Amino acid sequence: MHLTDSISILPKTHSTTTKRLQSVGIQTIGDLIQYYPSRYVDYSNFTTLDKVQPGDTATIRGTITAAKNAYARRITIQTVMIDDGTGTLKLTWFNQPYIVRMCAVGLTLAVAGEIEKKGTQITMKPDEYEIIKDTGPGTHTGSIVPIYPQKKGLTTRLLRDKIAAVLPSIDPREITEWLPPDVVRAEQLMSYAETVMTMHRPKDMEAATKARTRVGFDELLLIHLSNALVKKQWDAQKVTKPLHLTPQIQTSIEKFVSQLPFTLTSSQQHAWKQISEDLQKARPMNRFLQGDVGSGKTIVAILASLLSTLNGADVLCMCPTEVLANQHFVSFTKLLAGIPNLKIELVTSTSNKKSSKSKAASISSKIPLVMVSQSALSLVEGNYDTSRLTTTNSPAIYIGTHALLTDAREFKNIGLVIIDEQHRFGVSQRAKIKERGAHSHLLTMTATPIPRTIALTLFGDLDISTLTDKPVGRLTVKTYAAPEEKRESAYRWIEKQITETKCQAFVICPRIDEEEQEEGKETIVSMRAAVAEAARLQKDVFPKLRIAVVHGKLKAAEKEQIMSDFKNHLYDILVSTTVIEVGIDIPNASIILIEGAERFGLAQLHQLRGRVGRGNKQSHCVLFTSEYVATPERLNFFAKTQNGQELAEFDFRERGPGDIYGTAQSGTSSLRIANLFDYALVSHTKELAEKLLERGLTAEIKSRLATIQFGSIAKD
């Protein structure tokens, strides 16, 4: 059997299993043996029944003396008795009638699990079992047993069987070493061939650890090599539209900054310096701007856009939600009102004429001296025909959602592409928006703090700027993890605050409708749904206050209208799902109550908390867990911590990288074994990747890189 052989040659394998293997990327025998276990269980402790004690984890081998099915209400109970010569063991399974069929009296059965005792009878509910013909270790018992990731209907037991079936027929010489010999020696690594074989059949836990160390090292090194190659390729490009910071443009930007209604923080000034220097280079900028909630990323993006448009080049700014796109449209339009001949256009999927007219009226009446292009006004009035338009010589800033990807016009004058909250877009969407501004500068932004090791791996091909300061005058949001018995007093306090200070409040619920219950995850009783909660609060809790509800199932125009009305203080309380997580700027909202807080990651809670504290009033965040759920320690940590970076690091340790950036949209899906918590190793492999690239990649490294895929913005 060869590594390049198709898995269709696997013996005793149903076509359904073959399709399932293919659905997780296993096409060949080589792919199969590189599908590594996530952990191991030590079932190597073969012992006899006269030596075991209750609570021991042991592997017992004995002769089957009886096997039968028993029937109870809605369940079947399988009971098998084995005798190992020193005693008898009673084995029990539930709803697995095939076990009785396979356990013929007289066969030898090996089982592994925790020993129990009922009276004088030794019992076990086996974790693993198998019929064996000799005294050696089996596939599922009597050894260090691998536990594989279970996906697409593939069980760890099935994967163990299939891999065990092919390993003996694999010639280890086919598993070629891809790292240079000097690197393997210097790093004291297990050889690649030995690693692959050991990952599935380690002789002991020490060997398993060494093999996992090699695989993790490889994963980190490969992603760093991939990042370094992408960065090298990116640096070799030339921008189509060069940008210059001439004395005249410098003066215009300085005048613009001096007239802002606020002072730039030191970190904003530093980030702008880095970005402005990048924008003047012949190669495209590929910079990632991260900043805590409320740190002021938008004004930095506006400055970058201003430099582009003052050079006569257009800007594309893509946002993940229509709410955020509208928010940016208003911010850009308001702050850039005094720039002559500048067009700012909003491109979203909203086409409701009536609500769009009210939006146009709101924009025109509330922002003085707004220089909005006629096409932008046509858009918000619902008369926008993109098929008739092409870009002109007048610089423009196009702000929109994914609708920018399907807009009919050709963008030929793009100097800068901005992607806000980039991780919320899929790989293909990010690739398309970058294609629309090919060979232009790229600025990506996020308010989600990134742990250091994530930044070094997933965003290793990007230059990173970080905003660490909050605008002058911003007050810390006081946060409370409140026990359920404090709920009524919290309600009365909120009512008092709204009545006396005329502030507004958010109430966040994790679900939309009670019918959206997810089987096995939550009960209707345990989660408060936004629609039902709004009705309950209006009727039973705050009958004298004005309450609205908003969620993702509303049409964009409805959602926008409710948000606009809330901002204009037509409502006192807005009950919402996490649709308000980003892009909402309501300075008068100073209270946010979050239901089911234990269900959110700390990064998301931090985003939600950032919806308040944007005005000059002291703001408060109140956390309630689902009913009957005790307050987790991490919520107490969140209540005490305002620093987004610290929260991200804590969340990363507790929940893993998948909760920070979904693996479908980042490189974490390729990091199955690597320890991203090991900053020293992440840094070391990054340095090694740069050295290997500098001295020239071998054919083996290039071949290995060709077999992997990592999803980062630049690689899209």
Side-chain angles (χ1 to χ4, degrees):
M1 196 173 287
H2 300 286
L3 300 183
T4 55
D5 290 342
S6 169
I7 57 169
S8 60
I9 70 169
L10 285 172
K12 299 180 181 179
T13 302
H14 195 277
S15 60
T16 300
T17 299
T18 302
K19 290 178 181 177
R20 287 174 176 171
L21 289 168
Q22 291 170 338
S23 71
V24 297
I26 300 174
Q27 304 288 341
T28 65
I29 300 301
D31 295 333
L32 179 63
I33 66 171
Q34 291 181 83
Y35 191 88
Y36 296 131
S38 55
R39 60 188 178 90
Y40 302 89
V41 179
D42 188 353
Y43 289 141
S44 61
N45 179 27
F46 263 124
T47 188
T48 53
L49 291 171
D50 60 339
K51 296 178 181 178
V52 298
Q53 296 293 328
D56 290 349
T57 297
T59 300
I60 305 294
R61 183 192 299 117
T63 302
I64 300 172
T65 58
K68 65 177 182 178
N69 275 309
Y71 299 91
R73 295 185 62 182
R74 299 185 180 180
I75 64 169
T76 60
I77 304 171
Q78 290 72 48
T79 302
V80 175
M81 299 293 296
I82 64 172
D83 188 326
D84 75 343
T86 68
T88 60
L89 177 65
K90 181 180 180 181
L91 307 167
T92 305
W93 291 266
F94 297 94
N95 296 323
Q96 299 180 58
Y98 59 87
I99 286 177
V100 171
R101 293 194 295 270
M102 67 175 279
C103 289
V105 173
L107 294 180
T108 301
L109 179 68
V111 292
E114 183 178 338
I115 296 294
E116 299 177 6
K117 199 168 186 180
K118 295 183 178 179
T120 59
Q121 178 64 61
I122 303 172
T123 67
M124 178 190 290
K125 298 182 182 68
D127 296 322
E128 295 292 348
Y129 60 90
E130 60 186 324
I131 300 294
I132 58 175
K133 296 181 181 179
D134 52 48
T135 58
T139 301
H140 308 287
T141 60
S143 61
I144 306 297
V145 176
I147 307 297
Y148 294 92
Q150 301 185 115
K151 303 176 182 178
K152 307 288 185 178
L154 295 169
T155 66
T156 191
R157 189 176 178 86
L158 181 146
L159 288 161
R160 206 183 290 144
D161 279 332
K162 298 306 173 187
I163 292 172
V166 302
L167 281 183
S169 60
I170 297 295
D171 185 348
R173 289 173 296 183
E174 278 197 58
I175 307 173
T176 56
E177 179 61 69
W178 68 276
L179 278 178
D182 62 312
V183 173
V184 176
R185 287 194 301 271
E187 301 295 335
Q188 298 181 322
L189 298 172
M190 182 182 283
S191 74
Y192 186 56
E194 185 182 0
T195 296
V196 173
M197 306 301 279
T198 302
M199 284 293 288
H200 303 292
R201 297 293 290 178
K203 62 181 180 180
D204 51 38
M205 292 302 287
E206 182 181 357
T209 299
K210 288 182 178 179
R212 285 177 63 84
T213 297
R214 169 65 199 262
V215 173
F217 184 93
D218 287 1
E219 288 178 347
L220 288 172
L221 184 59
L222 283 166
I223 197 170
H224 288 316
L225 282 168
S226 180
N227 284 334
L229 280 172
V230 170
K231 189 170 177 58
K232 184 178 180 180
Q233 293 166 0
W234 185 280
D235 289 346
Q237 295 181 23
K238 299 292 182 182
V239 291
T240 304
K241 182 69 178 177
L243 304 180
H244 306 286
L245 190 60
T246 65
Q248 183 179 1
I249 292 176
Q250 177 72 38
T251 300
S252 297
I253 292 177
E254 288 176 354
K255 181 180 179 181
F256 170 78
V257 172
S258 69
Q259 293 177 345
L260 289 172
F262 48 82
T263 302
L264 295 181
T265 65
S266 59
S267 60
Q268 283 175 325
Q269 295 175 35
H270 181 63
W272 166 234
K273 182 176 183 295
Q274 292 175 318
I275 291 169
S276 62
E277 289 174 352
D278 281 355
L279 292 175
Q280 297 173 69
K281 294 177 181 177
R283 62 140 175 104
M285 175 179 73
N286 191 15
R287 188 163 287 276
F288 186 65
L289 177 63
Q290 63 167 330
D292 214 340
V293 176
S295 60
K297 295 177 297 300
T298 302
I299 187 58
V300 178
I302 289 175
L303 285 170
S305 302
L306 181 58
L307 177 57
S308 180
T309 55
L310 288 175
N311 276 271
D314 297 340
V315 176
L316 289 180
C317 178
M318 188 167 76
C319 308
T321 65
E322 190 160 336
V323 171
L324 183 54
N326 278 287
Q327 187 73 49
H328 279 336
F329 179 64
V330 171
S331 298
F332 274 64
T333 304
K334 181 177 181 179
L335 292 175
L336 295 172
I339 307 301
N341 302 318
L342 174 61
K343 299 190 300 182
I344 303 176
E345 298 192 11
L346 182 65
V347 184
T348 69
S349 58
T350 299
S351 59
N352 185 292
K353 191 171 182 179
K354 182 176 180 180
S355 66
S356 295
K357 281 185 176 180
S358 69
K359 184 192 305 178
S362 174
I363 292 172
S364 301
S365 62
K366 291 184 176 295
I367 305 174
L369 303 177
V370 173
M371 301 187 68
V372 186
S373 69
Q374 183 57 45
S375 55
L377 289 175
S378 297
L379 168 68
V380 295
E381 288 172 359
N383 301 318
Y384 193 55
D385 183 2
T386 60
S387 64
R388 295 186 291 103
L389 291 173
T390 57
T391 56
T392 67
N393 291 328
S394 299
I397 299 174
Y398 303 93
I399 300 172
T401 58
H402 59 278
L404 282 169
L405 305 178
T406 56
D407 192 89
R409 82 193 91 181
E410 293 183 18
F411 296 105
K412 296 181 178 179
N413 192 41
I414 301 300
L416 173 66
V417 172
I418 301 171
I419 304 178
D420 198 6
E421 293 298 333
Q422 60 82 25
H423 62 283
R424 289 169 168 258
F425 292 103
V427 170
S428 60
Q429 289 177 315
R430 297 198 303 259
K432 286 179 182 177
I433 192 65
K434 186 63 184 73
E435 287 171 7
R436 304 220 74 176
H439 299 287
S440 59
H441 296 290
L442 176 63
L443 176 64
T444 56
M445 306 191 299
T446 185
T448 302
I450 305 169
R452 293 183 302 167
T453 50
I454 292 285
L456 282 176
T457 50
L458 305 190
F459 302 101
D461 54 327
L462 308 178
D463 298 312
I464 299 179
S465 294
T466 303
L467 300 182
T468 56
D469 308 323
K470 284 193 175 183
V472 177
R474 280 281 173 91
L475 298 174
T476 297
V477 179
K478 294 182 179 180
T479 307
Y480 317 91
E484 184 63 28
E485 57 266 25
K486 295 288 186 180
R487 179 178 292 276
E488 190 58 34
S489 60
Y491 285 153
R492 300 287 66 84
W493 175 82
I494 290 172
E495 184 174 38
K496 181 179 179 182
Q497 290 291 311
I498 292 174
T499 303
E500 294 183 356
T501 70
K502 307 303 179 185
C503 70
Q504 293 166 278
F506 292 106
V507 174
I508 308 301
C509 298
R511 314 223 50 81
I512 296 172
D513 298 307
E514 291 185 346
E515 289 75 12
E516 290 194 356
Q517 174 185 346
E518 294 182 27
E519 184 177 353
K521 291 189 177 181
E522 60 190 33
T523 65
I524 292 176
V525 175
S526 68
M527 298 312 309
R528 297 176 182 275
V531 174
E533 182 68 354
R536 187 187 74 85
L537 290 175
Q538 185 70 83
K539 179 182 177 182
D540 302 329
V541 183
F542 305 116
K544 296 180 180 180
L545 300 180
R546 301 163 298 173
I547 299 176
V549 61
V550 66
H551 52 73
K553 282 191 174 182
L554 292 174
K555 293 181 179 178
E558 293 178 297
K559 193 163 34 180
E560 178 64 25
Q561 186 64 56
I562 293 170
M563 295 305 306
S564 176
D565 290 344
F566 184 61
K567 188 168 187 175
N568 292 330
H569 210 164
L570 298 183
Y571 299 109
D572 302 303
I573 297 175
L574 182 66
V575 180
S576 173
T577 59
T578 55
V579 70
I580 63 106
E581 183 183 342
V582 295
I584 304 301
D585 188 8
I586 314 289
N588 192 52
S590 61
I591 298 171
I592 184 165
L593 185 153
I594 303 174
E595 296 284 4
E598 82 285 352
R599 299 186 71 246
F600 298 102
L602 298 190
Q604 191 175 29
L605 285 175
H606 193 51
Q607 286 272 17
L608 290 168
R609 179 166 59 183
R611 297 314 99 207
V612 297
R614 308 177 81 85
N616 55 10
K617 296 178 181 178
Q618 176 60 61
S619 294
H620 305 266
C621 173
V622 182
L623 309 173
F624 278 111
T625 58
S626 306
E627 292 181 52
Y628 313 118
V629 174
T631 302
E633 178 55 36
R634 63 188 193 88
L635 292 187
N636 291 323
F637 177 81
F638 175 78
K640 295 182 293 185
T641 307
Q642 297 286 327
N643 185 292
Q645 192 66 41
E646 292 180 19
L647 291 170
E649 295 285 352
F650 184 92
D651 226 9
F652 181 39
R653 291 192 301 271
E654 294 293 311
R655 292 159 64 94
D659 288 288
I660 299 172
Y661 288 96
T663 55
Q665 303 180 69
S666 67
T668 51
S669 57
S670 298
L671 298 175
R672 293 174 292 179
I673 306 296
N675 180 11
L676 277 176
F677 302 107
D678 190 340
Y679 182 77
L681 180 60
V682 171
S683 300
H684 174 63
T685 48
K686 185 175 189 294
E687 292 174 3
L688 178 59
E690 292 167 354
K691 290 178 182 177
L692 289 173
L693 186 60
E694 186 177 332
R695 82 183 198 184
L697 300 184
T698 63
E700 291 80 9
I701 292 178
K702 291 178 181 178
S703 176
R704 184 71 176 153
L705 281 168
T707 65
I708 63 172
Q709 290 184 343
F710 296 110
S712 177
I713 292 175
K715 289 180 265 306
D716 295 341

